[in-house]
Amino acid sequence: MVLEEEKNHPSRWSEVIMIAPKLDIHPDTLSKWTRLHERANAPAVSGPPDREKIRSRN
């Protein structure tokens, strides 16, 4: 719900404050769950390029 309503609120915290009572949970809990969800679904970050790839570019 928080991520769906993102465009309708000026900040993430204002969304959380509005949505948490509807779910009967504390705003801090909803905020934490939202952050955990975003981290779990974030695209993987690739590591540093291989030395061979760098050498082949030069």
Side-chain angles (χ1 to χ4, degrees), residues 27-40:
D28 289 335
T29 302
L30 182 57
S31 180
K32 179 181 177 182
W33 288 350
T34 304
R35 285 192 313 271
L36 290 172
H37 173 77
E38 286 180 319
R39 286 185 201 143

Side-chain angles (χ1 to χ4, degrees), residues 47-57:
D50 294 328
R51 290 182 188 182
E52 293 301 319
K53 289 180 185 178
I54 294 172
R55 286 183 188 141
S56 68
R57 291 180 192 163

